[in-house]
Amino acid sequence: MNIKLENISKNFNKRLIIEGVDLQVDFGKLVHIIGSNGSGKSTIFKIICKIIEPDSGSIEFSDQTQLGALIENPSFMEDMSLKKNLQFLGGIKKQFDEEKVIRLTERLGLDYDSKVKVGKYSVGMRQKMGIIQAIMEDQNLILLDEPTRGLDKAALAELKRLIEELIAENKTIIIASHDNLSELNFDEQYLLEEGRLQLN
Ligand SMILES: Nc1ncnc2c1ncn2[C@@H]1O[C@H](COP(=O)(O)OP(=O)(O)O)[C@@H](O)[C@H]1O
Ligand SMILES: [Mg+2]
């Protein structure tokens, strides 16, 4: 088991957003959480990342877990280049494999050496950067929140290949989206509705 959520609940301003959510995901699984806008998908991811605290419930990670996440609109150092941003993010944990990061940026159609400040990047380009930082340090539990947002066809196809490679390396990926992403082969699909998460 890579991650286990038990009976997670969360209120915002006395409104119950997440109610008794259980989720257990094994290594190497590709899992999908589908829910409409505002159903609480990002909230669940933020709880897993400890950005927000649940009102109740518990989360357990396996010892080897290294968490990577793309959540909502990723924020970057807006007046810096892509390279500076990724070097900075990779430097935090001293796990920066620059060759690997260059390969990832090329695959997703970004220019690693571009001088353009990321504040000038489009939604899709920022999304690609967000995907790169979520996987570039060999993270083995990867959360991708609406990862296809703003991506063109070529980038979508590349993302699909990347996901398949990561799963083949026994990494765990949880994707949240409002659409059904039928191009991906999920091992498990859950529906998030009225705060409750149910196997679909
Ligand atoms: N920090 C917050 N304070 C108050 N309400 C919030 C907060 N974050 C999210 N919400 C509300 O919780 C609900 C679920 O939001 P979210 O998890 O972002 O949904 P999704 O990602 O599925 O679109 C929404 O109604 C949203 O307005
Ligand atoms: Mg969201």
Side-chain angles (χ1 to χ4, degrees):
M1 174 277 295
N2 197 339
I3 181 168
K4 187 176 181 183
L5 273 63
E6 252 181 324
N7 204 21
I8 299 280
S9 294
K10 178 70 187 174
N11 287 270
F12 282 125
N13 311 319
K14 297 195 176 147
R15 198 157 63 88
L16 193 56
I17 302 296
I18 296 296
E19 188 177 4
V21 162
D22 296 320
L23 176 69
Q24 183 172 329
V25 184
D26 287 329
F27 278 104
K29 296 287 184 204
L30 179 58
V31 172
H32 192 194
I33 296 176
I34 311 180
S36 51
N37 295 329
S39 58
K41 305 180 297 295
S42 298
T43 301
I44 291 179
F45 277 4
K46 287 177 196 167
I47 290 171
I48 295 173
C49 293
K50 303 192 194 308
I51 295 169
I52 60 176
E53 221 185 314
D55 297 332
S56 60
S58 66
I59 308 178
E60 210 183 302
F61 296 95
S62 82
D63 289 341
Q64 310 96 302
T65 298
Q66 284 218 52
L67 188 60
L70 159 75
I71 299 181
E72 286 183 340
N73 319 310
S75 45
F76 299 106
M77 299 182 294
E78 302 297 331
D79 56 352
M80 302 270 191
S81 67
L82 168 138
K83 180 175 174 171
K84 279 271 186 299
N85 269 275
L86 294 180
Q87 283 176 337
F88 170 75
L89 290 168
I92 295 172
K93 286 203 223 139
K94 300 195 169 49
Q95 267 175 301
F96 194 67
D97 177 349
E98 192 162 38
E99 295 289 305
K100 177 179 176 175
V101 177
I102 291 171
R103 270 199 309 279
L104 282 171
T105 55
E106 281 172 355
R107 284 184 66 174
L108 286 170
L110 292 176
D111 177 5
Y112 187 68
D113 289 312
S114 169
K115 299 275 185 289
V116 177
K117 297 169 178 177
V118 303
K120 300 258 183 269
Y121 275 27
S122 69
V123 172
M125 291 165 85
R126 297 173 72 85
Q127 196 73 350
K128 291 172 180 181
M129 278 183 76
I131 293 166
I132 291 166
Q133 60 79 32
I135 63 177
M136 68 183 189
E137 295 164 299
D138 277 328
Q139 293 97 328
N140 58 12
L141 174 60
I142 299 155
L143 310 179
L144 300 174
D145 193 0
E146 307 276 6
T148 62
R149 207 166 53 116
L151 296 190
D152 53 41
K153 265 216 165 77
L156 261 174
E158 199 54 47
L159 176 64
K160 181 171 189 272
R161 278 192 287 274
L162 266 174
I163 288 171
E164 285 164 356
E165 287 169 24
L166 293 164
I167 293 296
E169 292 166 15
N170 209 33
K171 292 171 178 171
T172 308
I173 305 180
I174 308 177
I175 295 181
S177 72
H178 64 277
D179 51 11
N180 58 11
L181 298 180
S182 52
E183 55 273 77
L184 295 174
N185 299 316
F186 291 102
D187 294 302
E188 288 149 24
Q189 272 191 316
Y190 292 87
L191 190 64
L192 182 60
E193 220 172 20
E194 290 173 0
R196 296 196 165 268
L197 189 68
Q198 278 175 319
L199 202 55
N200 201 12

